[in-house]
Amino acid sequence: MRTIKADPGSQQRLLDLQATDSALAQLDHRRRNLPEHAELARLKSDQASAGSDLVAADTAVSDLELEQTKAEFDLEPVRERLARNQRRIADGSVPDAKALSSMVAEVDHLKKRIGDLEDAELEVMEQLEQAVAERDRLRVRVDELAALIAEVTARRDEQLAALDLEVGRRRTERASIAPTIEPPLITLYERIAVSHGGVGAAELRARRCTGCQLEVNAADLRGFAAAAADEVLRCEECSRILVRTANSGL
């Protein structure tokens, strides 16, 4: 690893920069993983499913209403013919015995036909009643889901706004720290951070790298202790910049 030099104060401020960058990364993680994101996705999926079911239910109601109208339309002429025949039989306007017998037989047939049509209509009416109840239930469900989505969206947006405020504060903080760090040092830090989970610098604390949490071996510790104060140290295990503090144990 190429050795660079940087003012000890600049190295110390690198820890402040790392703390700010870590805080920004955590805020971004929180922003992307708010529970409300998953809850909204589930609610919107339920809403789409309920909406599709409601369209099908509306169609079923319309079809049954048409079927009921057709049943009434089919019944009307049969009832009129039955009433007309019954009047003719009752008023004696059918003088021929054979014609009268035929008309009486037709009346019996019409009554049976009306009974069959009324049974069919009743079945359609029962189906329509159930379909209307299901449609109304789905409408309530769709409205409930819309209200829930609005509620969760408002809660999510409130949290996002709070997180964005904190992100803005941290970015302002970073903007004030970064110019105080020597350019070669911050360039190295940012290059390492890209390939090390956003952590480019770590404190050497109690003879341990706080980046990879591994203890530095005795030989490396001796080398660190002998290094000049402006020499930038690197962890032999994770390659992160190691910043010496009063707690380093050197």
Side-chain angles (χ1 to χ4, degrees):
M1 290 181 286
R2 187 171 66 88
T3 300
I4 67 169
K5 293 185 180 295
D7 178 78
S10 190
Q11 294 187 47
Q12 292 294 319
R13 287 189 292 276
L14 196 61
L15 291 179
D16 297 331
L17 185 67
Q18 179 64 75
T20 301
D21 284 346
S22 294
L24 283 167
Q26 290 167 3
L27 288 167
D28 180 63
H29 178 79
R30 284 174 59 192
R31 201 179 193 285
R32 287 184 288 105
N33 293 278
L34 285 175
E36 285 75 12
H37 291 320
E39 190 174 357
L40 277 173
R42 178 182 60 78
L43 287 171
K44 287 179 179 179
S45 175
D46 290 348
Q47 184 186 48
S49 178
S52 178
D53 290 344
L54 179 57
V55 169
D58 276 330
T59 301
V61 168
S62 297
D63 290 346
L64 287 166
E65 286 173 341
L66 288 173
E67 198 172 336
Q68 183 182 20
T69 300
K70 182 179 181 301
E72 277 293 330
F73 182 80
D74 291 343
L75 264 169
E76 191 59 31
V78 182
R79 284 172 176 159
E80 289 176 355
R81 186 175 181 84
L82 174 63
R84 184 170 61 250
N85 286 356
Q86 286 176 326
R87 283 195 305 271
R88 293 184 65 190
I89 291 171
D91 62 18
S93 60
V94 185
D96 183 80
K98 186 176 180 181
L100 180 61
S101 177
S102 176
M103 186 168 291
V104 169
E106 185 180 12
V107 165
D108 290 339
H109 171 74
L110 290 171
K111 286 179 178 179
K112 184 179 184 306
R113 174 64 176 157
I114 288 171
D116 291 342
L117 288 172
E118 286 178 340
D119 287 344
E121 183 183 25
L122 181 61
E123 184 177 347
V124 170
M125 289 173 67
E126 289 174 348
Q127 292 176 1
L128 178 58
E129 184 179 359
Q130 293 173 0
V132 168
E134 176 64 7
R135 181 195 62 187
D136 292 346
R137 184 191 69 81
L138 286 167
R139 280 180 176 170
V140 170
R141 178 60 177 158
V142 166
D143 290 343
E144 287 175 346
L145 286 168
L148 281 171
I149 287 171
E151 177 188 329
V152 175
T153 298
R155 193 166 71 239
R156 179 206 62 186
D157 291 348
E158 183 179 352
Q159 294 189 64
L160 287 177
L163 288 170
D164 287 345
L165 280 175
E166 179 63 12
V167 167
R169 189 181 72 80
R170 289 290 187 173
R171 284 177 176 167
T172 299
E173 183 179 89
R174 190 186 199 281
S176 68
I177 296 171
T180 69
I181 301 173
E182 296 174 25
L185 182 60
I186 200 168
T187 298
L188 175 63
Y189 160 80
E190 289 176 344
R191 179 171 59 80
I192 296 170
V194 168
S195 57
H196 287 73
V199 181
E203 180 187 358
L204 176 61
R205 185 190 304 156
R207 304 181 180 184
R208 185 181 299 273
C209 169
T210 57
C212 62
Q213 301 302 322
L214 294 177
E215 188 171 341
V216 179
N217 64 52
D220 288 336
L221 279 174
R222 286 194 295 272
F224 291 163
D230 63 349
E231 184 175 336
V232 176
L233 306 182
R234 302 278 297 277
C235 175
E236 293 294 330
E237 296 295 335
C238 67
S239 299
R240 292 182 173 94
I241 296 169
L242 276 179
V243 179
R244 286 164 284 188
T245 67
N247 301 317
S248 293
L250 296 178

